[in-house]
Amino acid sequence: LQMRSDWSIPICSGKERLRVNGEKAHPTQKPEALLERVILSCSNPDDLVADFFCGSGTTLSVAEKTGRKWLGTDLGRFAIHATRKRMIGVQRDLAVKNEPYRAFEILNLGSYERQYFLGVDQDVEIAALEASKSEMREKFIELVMSAYGGQKSEQLPGFDGVKGNASVLIGPLDSPITEASVRRAIDTAKKAGITRVDILGFEFEMGIKPVMQDTAKDEGVTLTLRYIPNDVFDKRAIAKGQVKFYDVGYLEFKPRQAKDGTVTVELEEFSVFYSQEDADAAASGLRNGQARVVVDGGQVVRVGKNKKGAITKEILTKSWTDWIDYWAVDFDFESQREIVRVVTDEGEKDVWTGRYIFENQWQDFRTKDSRELRKVTDKHTYDLPGEYKIAVKVVDVFGNDTTKVVKLKVK
């Protein structure tokens, strides 16, 4: 059958069942029929299909369904999270049909660069560019420390400043704070006799929150991880003391072992500390009859002014579960090391990165059609008695993830 040069494939409209997160979230989402035609005509089963701007994961979804291997990347955390949920849905559908599917892993390799905030010229020569970056890094540290209420200091290598009795480390502009950098900060603090460390960053590598806080506590260091808000670049906000640094999410869960030896995990509490805008300040800027929704102090608030000018505030987050979009459990965390293959002068060899793979052995999440969220997992059975580590990962409605690990002795 000869393929025509023009293809008639209906668009993926806003009401289409396959539409992910609505028209506004993914206006460029492609119909699966289009990607299926492209993938089937340009690849064979078990070939690798890559989409480096994967959006909501349409290409990856079709690749999985047609038996192709796939690789997807995107700069937006919402895109990655939407794709994760979509691919789990594809796996579930294939499992029901008793068809094969592949496991996948999410790796955080970088994020948006923020040099434009500081005006770094990317077109200059390499030597001048490095000098410019170094100079701007110093200005960036001074700016953040000023907003944080601390002082820049060069007295202790490994840290950027102090606030009270805490040493402060500021993360990079264009990449997340890694577990390795947190580990170095803890080791440096221990050697110097420092008992409090504050680490500030725009983003944190997936899986280090609050696992590293628990590790530091065991080693005698109180570790605080806080997000740097984007308004840190607003000098007027700094002068008015309006820049707020919020801690990472707080997560509590409890494993429960039944008499038959099976284990379930129950979510007990989750909270965030985000603030988009002060609710009172937002309300004061409204005209009579207007309303808007803001995030203030870990709550979603609808503020408004009635026709007489009276301010109204309604808290829309009724329960702590309202913040959770997705959660997953690894019942035997640290059972699988993360191994990478590197090339050396002696040849290729496998090297342990020092990290472990988080296996999504159970998960639940909200979808467009179902907003319900389970708080208790299915039963899990361990093959052997012993001490295990259970890891729980929560992804909130803003796409940020929080992970916590607890030990459980299985009888």
Side-chain angles (χ1 to χ4, degrees):
L1 179 65
Q2 185 175 4
M3 184 73 70
R4 291 170 54 89
S5 60
D6 58 306
W7 299 352
S8 178
I9 296 176
I11 65 171
C12 194
S13 67
K15 296 182 180 179
E16 167 68 39
R17 182 181 63 82
L18 293 174
R19 170 67 71 180
V20 177
N21 287 348
E23 181 75 27
K24 292 183 179 179
H26 295 285
T28 60
Q29 183 180 336
K30 307 300 186 294
E32 286 201 2
L34 172 62
L35 272 303
E36 182 178 17
R37 180 170 294 185
V38 172
I39 289 174
L40 290 178
S41 62
C42 300
S43 66
N44 297 310
D46 283 333
D47 280 354
L48 177 63
V49 175
D51 186 348
F52 298 105
F53 306 91
C54 65
S56 59
T58 302
T59 303
L60 314 185
S61 174
V62 175
E64 181 69 33
K65 292 176 183 178
T66 55
R68 273 68 172 167
K69 301 173 186 176
W70 50 266
L71 169 68
T73 68
D74 203 287
L75 285 173
R77 66 171 72 244
F78 288 110
I80 295 298
H81 183 48
T83 300
R84 167 175 26 207
K85 294 201 298 182
R86 185 170 187 173
M87 297 310 298
I88 292 173
V90 170
Q91 290 181 337
R92 289 177 175 177
D93 291 341
L94 292 173
V96 170
K97 299 175 184 176
N98 201 28
E99 296 180 7
Y101 58 87
R102 294 180 173 89
F104 65 89
E105 185 179 6
I106 296 177
L107 302 175
N108 192 338
L109 302 179
S111 62
Y112 291 111
E113 292 191 346
R114 297 180 174 88
Q115 273 91 346
Y116 70 90
F117 279 116
L118 297 175
V120 174
D121 185 358
Q122 300 290 336
D123 295 326
V124 300
E125 294 182 358
I126 294 178
L129 177 61
E130 292 304 317
S132 177
K133 285 184 176 180
S134 177
E135 180 182 348
M136 290 302 175
R137 170 70 185 176
E138 294 301 312
K139 292 182 179 180
F140 171 62
I141 292 172
E142 291 177 1
L143 190 68
V144 174
M145 289 307 304
S146 174
Y148 194 53
Q151 297 81 40
K152 182 175 177 293
S153 174
E154 299 177 355
Q155 299 299 316
L156 182 62
F159 294 98
D160 298 304
V162 294
K163 181 179 180 180
N165 62 345
S167 294
V168 181
L169 174 65
I170 298 173
L173 275 164
D174 55 0
S175 59
I177 290 176
T178 65
E179 181 178 333
S181 63
V182 175
R183 179 70 263 175
R184 287 194 297 271
I186 295 173
D187 292 341
T188 302
K190 287 168 57 181
K191 292 177 182 177
I194 296 170
T195 58
R196 285 199 58 190
V197 172
D198 294 354
I199 299 183
L200 314 178
F202 288 104
E203 292 185 78
F204 292 85
E205 188 178 59
M206 290 182 181
I208 71 171
K209 312 169 297 189
V211 175
M212 293 305 296
Q213 288 174 308
D214 297 336
T215 299
K217 184 178 179 181
D218 292 340
E219 299 181 27
V221 177
T222 299
L223 177 66
T224 300
L225 305 176
R226 291 196 171 114
Y227 288 107
I228 300 174
N230 281 334
D231 55 6
V232 73
F233 298 101
D234 186 344
K235 294 183 179 180
R236 291 174 298 179
I238 294 177
K240 295 178 181 179
Q242 296 175 342
V243 180
K244 298 179 181 179
F245 294 72
Y246 289 93
D247 293 353
V248 298
Y250 172 77
L251 169 63
E252 284 293 338
F253 67 90
K254 180 172 288 186
R256 302 186 187 277
Q257 188 171 5
K259 292 182 179 179
D260 62 1
T262 59
V263 173
T264 58
V265 173
E266 180 179 2
L267 276 182
E268 293 193 323
E269 188 174 354
F270 179 73
S271 58
V272 298
F273 308 93
Y274 308 137
S275 276
Q276 172 195 41
E277 188 175 353
D278 182 85
D280 293 327
S284 64
L286 296 174
R287 295 193 297 270
N288 291 357
Q290 283 188 324
R292 59 177 298 197
V293 175
V294 298
V295 180
D296 182 16
Q299 298 287 358
V300 178
V301 185
R302 179 187 287 118
V303 296
K305 275 186 180 179
N306 62 24
K307 293 181 179 180
K308 295 182 179 180
I311 293 176
T312 60
K313 289 194 294 184
E314 177 189 4
I315 296 177
L316 301 180
T317 39
K318 306 300 181 184
S319 167
W320 56 270
T321 57
D322 291 342
W323 286 107
I324 301 175
D325 187 62
Y326 166 100
W327 71 291
V329 181
D330 184 344
F331 288 93
D332 190 11
F333 185 59
E334 295 188 1
S335 62
Q336 289 214 36
R337 293 183 173 187
E338 184 179 72
I339 305 295
V340 296
R341 177 158 294 186
V342 299
V343 179
T344 66
D345 294 336
E346 291 78 26
E348 294 185 355
K349 66 177 181 179
D350 292 339
V351 177
W352 178 38
T353 65
R355 295 174 53 81
Y356 297 91
I357 295 174
F358 180 95
E359 293 188 274
N360 290 41
Q361 295 178 303
W362 182 94
Q363 66 274 312
D364 192 39
F365 51 86
R366 304 182 196 274
T367 66
K368 222 173 22 170
D369 300 324
S370 174
R371 304 308 296 165
E372 298 297 320
L373 191 76
R374 294 174 58 181
K375 292 194 290 185
V376 182
T377 68
D378 294 333
K379 293 181 179 180
H380 178 81
T381 302
Y382 290 93
D383 295 331
L384 298 171
E387 187 173 85
Y388 293 86
K389 290 183 178 180
I390 298 177
V392 170
K393 181 191 295 291
V394 170
V395 179
D396 64 33
V397 294
F398 294 111
N400 298 311
D401 79 293
T402 300
T403 304
K404 184 172 182 178
V405 180
V406 301
K407 295 178 180 180
L408 175 69
K409 190 171 185 179
V410 177
K411 301 176 182 178

